[in-house]
Amino acid sequence: MRIIDPHIHMSSRTTQDYEAMRAAGVRAVVEPAFWQGQPRTSVGTFVDYFDALVGWEPYRAGRFGIRHHCALALNPREANDPRCARVLDLLPRYLAKDGVVAVGEVGFDAMTVEEEKAFGRQVELALANDLPVLVHTPHRDKVTGTRRSLDLLRSSGIPLERVVLDHLNEPTAGLVRDTGAWMGFSIYPETKMDERRMVSILREYGTDRMLVNSAADWGRSDPLATRSTAEAMLAAGFDDDAVDQVLWRNPARFYGQSGRLFLDDPEPADGPDTYGGNSVLRGEPED
């Protein structure tokens, strides 16, 4: 079984998670930029975070045979913080980097005016950089937020086949199904979506344009949720081809629109823990 996790926050996970994911069939991941659990105090903290997503994390993943890509954005929650507004001016130089396969997570949290402005501007950046967009649908009043997201996307002019609306559930799946946009589902132990419900949605709507992810952020979550969803599909009567479509070919097709998705095995690093701070990436001597 081969798996791409199309939305997983590996900066919240351990190296043991990488080992377990590789053993479970995960060969590539996409890590979207997100809120890390507490407010950031300056634009400089985003610079450090983005640098880690395009530098350190691909190195760490590669040591365990996993290709790491990322999506970059000012996330909806922090779009409300005026201290973070200048992040939008920094994004263009990061969106040009090879490992960046989308703009995301963008979208709504509390559905404020500030969030809508940041959402619209970042869709413009996606168009300018020929990148797909990963949209975070809000956890509160998800139906209204999903409809509002679709309205903004339609008015932006971006082709909806270049957009995935994530964290969908039963009430919102039908809103997205016939729009041409991709449908994303985050599998969590207690919230959002579980494997059994995901199988029911796949039965109702089919496997086309479906993305299943673990998200696996700082809350209670499981970086192997993609594998357990695949097993639930097989147990429910889906065949190997359907599993491969949902867990591999669909995310490859969506993020492949960036022209920057690499699905070959990365070259293993020489020896354990040879990173030495940023020395490997910067070409500085090891300590």
Side-chain angles (χ1 to χ4, degrees):
M1 186 181 297
R2 54 183 186 169
I3 297 170
I4 300 171
D5 195 321
H7 179 158
I8 182 168
H9 298 291
M10 290 309 299
S11 55
S12 300
R13 310 308 305 191
T14 67
T15 52
Q16 286 85 352
D17 289 324
Y18 271 126
E19 287 183 299
M21 289 163 60
R22 172 74 190 192
V26 177
R27 296 294 179 264
V29 299
V30 176
E31 179 165 1
F34 80 132
W35 180 63
Q36 290 192 300
Q38 67 181 36
R40 281 180 261 237
T41 57
S42 71
V43 172
T45 61
F46 279 91
V47 171
D48 294 338
Y49 176 51
F50 292 166
D51 283 345
L53 290 184
V54 299
W56 163 247
E57 207 58 46
Y59 171 82
R60 192 165 75 108
R63 291 185 59 231
F64 299 94
I66 293 175
R67 277 288 184 188
H68 181 284
H69 310 81
C70 65
L72 298 182
L74 173 62
N75 68 83
R77 188 179 187 119
E78 290 177 297
N80 295 296
D81 188 336
R83 294 175 298 180
C84 301
R86 285 202 306 113
V87 173
L88 297 176
D89 297 325
L90 295 175
L91 273 173
R93 69 183 172 100
Y94 282 99
L95 295 181
K97 294 185 179 293
D98 285 344
V100 181
V101 295
V103 175
E105 301 178 47
V106 303
F108 289 112
D109 177 50
M111 288 181 282
T112 65
V113 172
E114 290 78 11
E115 290 171 20
E116 184 158 333
K117 288 178 180 177
F119 188 175
R121 184 169 172 191
Q122 291 181 100
V123 173
E124 291 174 358
L125 287 174
L127 284 165
N129 288 273
D130 197 25
L131 288 173
V133 177
L134 188 158
V135 176
H136 169 98
T137 58
H139 304 306
R140 301 178 298 278
D141 199 0
K142 188 176 288 289
V143 169
T144 300
T146 301
R147 285 181 173 141
R148 190 168 169 185
S149 297
L150 286 167
D151 287 343
L152 188 149
L153 291 163
R154 289 187 183 104
S155 66
S156 74
I158 190 168
L160 288 183
E161 62 268 21
R162 295 180 65 82
V163 176
V164 56
L165 286 95
D166 213 342
H167 307 314
L168 296 180
N169 57 11
E170 291 86 349
T172 52
L175 299 177
V176 181
R177 181 66 182 91
D178 296 324
T179 65
W182 291 69
M183 304 164 67
F185 299 88
S186 300
I187 311 301
Y188 270 59
E190 296 175 341
T191 62
K192 294 185 176 71
M193 179 65 54
D194 63 25
E195 294 89 342
R196 176 187 56 81
R197 291 164 58 201
M198 189 68 237
V199 166
S200 296
I201 286 175
L202 290 168
R203 280 176 170 158
E204 181 173 359
Y205 295 106
T207 56
D208 187 40
R209 288 186 287 110
M210 293 286 192
L211 301 181
V212 172
N213 67 75
S214 69
D217 58 25
W218 41 263
R220 186 164 182 262
S221 56
D222 180 6
L224 303 182
T226 50
R227 174 71 188 217
S228 60
T229 300
E231 292 172 349
M233 290 177 66
L234 292 171
F238 287 90
D239 62 18
D240 290 339
D241 185 69
V243 170
D244 190 70
Q245 180 182 3
V246 173
L247 275 300
W248 182 269
R249 300 198 310 270
N250 280 356
R253 182 179 156 206
F254 178 73
Y255 287 114
Q257 295 179 102
S258 70
R260 303 174 184 172
L261 189 70
F262 298 99
L263 298 180
D264 57 319
D265 282 344
E267 291 293 327
D270 294 329
D273 301 319
T274 56
Y275 189 79
N278 283 334
S279 60
V280 170
L281 295 182
R282 292 176 179 168
E284 298 169 359
E286 297 283 349
D287 293 334

